[in-house]
Amino acid sequence: MKQIDLVYRTAFAELAQRTFDAQFEADFPLDGRFVSVPVKARNYWYFEYPTDDGDKRRYVGPESDEEITARVKRHKEIKDDIRERRRLVGMLQRSGGMASPDRFAGEVTKALADAGLFRLRAVLIGSVAFGCYSGLLGVRLPNTAIQTGDADFAQDFAISAGVEDSLPPILEILQSVDPTFRAVPHQADKTKVVAFTNSVNYRVEFLTGNRGSDEYTGKPSPMPALGGASAENLRFLDYLIYEPVRTVLLHREGVSVNVPTPERYAIHKLIVSSKRLTDALGRAKRDKDLLQASLLSEALVETKQGYVLADAYREAWDRGPSWQEGIVAGLAMMPDDGKTALAAALGVKPDELGKA
């Protein structure tokens, strides 16, 4: 696995910060003001802004997030520099060899980001998120592991219910990108929508974690912050989206997004690979899961971050028998390079993986 030169890794970090700065300014224009609001013994930043119907309030984030609080304090100093950021994105793609999404996935993600999806603490997941790890880890990732025909986003239900803010209607946001987008009624409850598709079957789906009974799996949960959309309940997803990281998607001038930590993404893909259907589509998704888990395991070890991979593995293993079963089944199919890297991170031999 080839690491990307330091100069490009540094430029990526600069772009991520400047993109977040610019998104912050777009979300919070200068004619408003920030206020600190206590909610259940914690303080959260909200943004008050004038409208024809009186002042409105928009959720910003927890006051304990030092990065957000710092931007609140210097909000008026943030300047838009789209042209320079576009130059940086192009340099990172062409000369730095960093991965970027296909154009349509980038447009969909940018539209949702501009509407406030990531401000409301949603997380980009799936292969579009995987492409961000090239810059985040400073390694070259093969395009075959990034290609996708859909875009997946997740949000914790408690966050969606607690932020007291919401996106505009999701369908309207997506139709601003492609007018052929339509809502897809959920099979288990036709009154709820968790997915949207367009004329060429590009699918945008919203997911949330199921920490309770298996009876909730496969059923939609209403998500107050998602502009009328619901979300599919999935096991293991709460593990994936716990404490995500902020980074940049290399599209246009950069799109500020939240993605899972690469170590959690790797272990999650290892687990869910064993849960795929056995038809042709299920096998293709399983193979991509395993390839991504393997590549990230190698990248984390190569970049001297094997310890976080080991921690993520142990946390998942300690969650109980169903998690252990998924890990063991995934390991049985994982490419040898990935198993070797994971074993090195854990300080064991490859044939000792999957044992208590």
Side-chain angles (χ1 to χ4, degrees):
M1 180 164 291
K2 186 175 181 181
Q3 292 195 38
I4 293 169
D5 289 346
L6 177 60
V7 63
Y8 299 115
R9 301 203 305 268
T10 303
F12 180 87
E14 178 187 350
L15 176 67
Q17 179 174 333
R18 289 168 65 173
T19 302
F20 182 48
D21 287 345
Q23 185 64 56
F24 203 80
E25 182 180 23
D27 286 337
F28 309 111
L30 295 178
D31 60 351
R33 67 190 185 95
F34 292 94
V35 294
S36 179
V37 178
V39 180
K40 295 181 180 179
R42 295 185 66 187
N43 288 336
Y44 293 86
W45 288 113
Y46 281 79
F47 185 73
E48 288 187 347
Y49 57 101
T51 72
D52 293 340
D53 298 321
D55 287 351
K56 295 293 181 67
R57 182 175 287 182
R58 180 182 297 168
Y59 175 80
V60 180
E63 200 170 309
S64 58
D65 187 322
E66 295 179 359
E67 192 171 6
I68 287 178
T69 295
R71 280 166 173 77
V72 166
K73 293 179 178 178
R74 60 186 179 91
H75 176 53
K76 293 183 179 180
E77 300 174 9
I78 298 172
K79 302 298 181 183
D80 191 19
D81 59 347
I82 289 178
R83 183 177 300 177
E84 176 60 17
R85 284 187 287 122
R86 284 179 178 163
R87 186 193 68 79
L88 274 174
V89 168
M91 180 188 72
L92 293 171
Q93 291 170 332
R94 293 187 299 271
S95 303
M98 292 185 184
S100 58
D102 69 79
R103 185 198 64 81
F104 195 75
E107 289 296 299
V108 166
T109 306
K110 176 174 170 53
L112 290 167
D114 288 347
L117 181 66
F118 301 109
R119 173 177 59 82
L120 297 180
R121 296 165 66 185
V123 183
L124 174 65
I125 60 176
S127 292
V128 182
F130 181 83
C132 295
Y133 296 131
S134 175
L136 198 60
L137 294 174
V139 297
R140 294 177 185 264
L141 296 172
N143 286 332
T144 53
I146 297 169
Q147 295 171 356
T148 184
D150 54 23
D152 298 324
F153 303 89
Q155 188 183 48
D156 183 270
F157 175 79
I159 290 174
S160 193
V163 295
E164 298 182 356
D165 195 356
S166 179
L167 298 176
I170 292 288
L171 184 57
E172 292 182 10
I173 298 170
L174 295 176
Q175 286 179 339
S176 72
V177 178
D178 180 353
T180 70
F181 264 113
R182 61 180 177 84
V184 181
H186 195 276
Q187 290 184 342
D189 184 345
K190 300 296 184 182
T191 66
K192 293 184 173 64
V193 171
V194 304
F196 303 82
T197 188
N198 69 355
S199 59
V200 294
N201 295 319
Y202 190 93
R203 187 177 177 90
V204 177
E205 189 165 8
F206 295 90
L207 309 168
T208 194
N210 175 20
R211 303 181 190 179
S213 169
D214 282 339
E215 68 183 66
Y216 294 107
T217 299
K219 295 181 180 180
S221 287
M223 303 293 284
L226 292 185
S230 297
E232 186 82 69
N233 272 283
L234 292 182
R235 293 299 301 275
F236 312 112
L237 191 71
D238 62 300
Y239 166 87
L240 174 67
I241 65 175
Y242 179 70
E243 294 187 345
V245 293
R246 189 177 290 115
T247 187
V248 59
L249 188 71
L250 296 182
H251 176 71
R252 287 202 191 186
E253 63 272 14
V255 181
S256 185
V257 297
N258 304 321
V259 299
T261 62
E263 63 272 12
R264 285 181 181 271
Y265 190 104
I267 301 303
H268 180 263
K269 285 298 183 183
L270 186 64
I271 295 170
V272 299
S273 69
S274 66
K275 311 296 181 182
R276 296 294 190 185
L277 298 176
T278 56
D279 59 6
L281 179 59
R283 292 195 300 272
K285 289 184 175 180
R286 179 199 63 200
D287 291 345
K288 181 180 281 189
D289 290 339
L290 294 166
L291 175 60
Q292 291 180 350
S294 180
L295 288 168
L296 287 181
S297 296
E298 293 177 65
L300 286 162
V301 171
E302 176 69 22
T303 56
K304 312 301 182 187
Q305 299 177 75
Y307 62 95
V308 295
L309 178 63
D311 287 345
Y313 176 95
R314 293 187 184 105
E315 180 186 334
W317 184 268
D318 290 343
R319 289 198 176 198
S322 63
W323 292 70
Q324 294 168 10
E325 178 185 335
I327 290 172
V328 170
L331 285 168
M333 301 180 287
M334 192 181 194
D336 288 342
D337 288 345
K339 282 193 283 191
T340 299
L342 182 55
L346 289 163
V348 300
K349 297 177 180 179
D351 60 4
E352 295 174 333
L353 288 171
K355 299 176 182 178

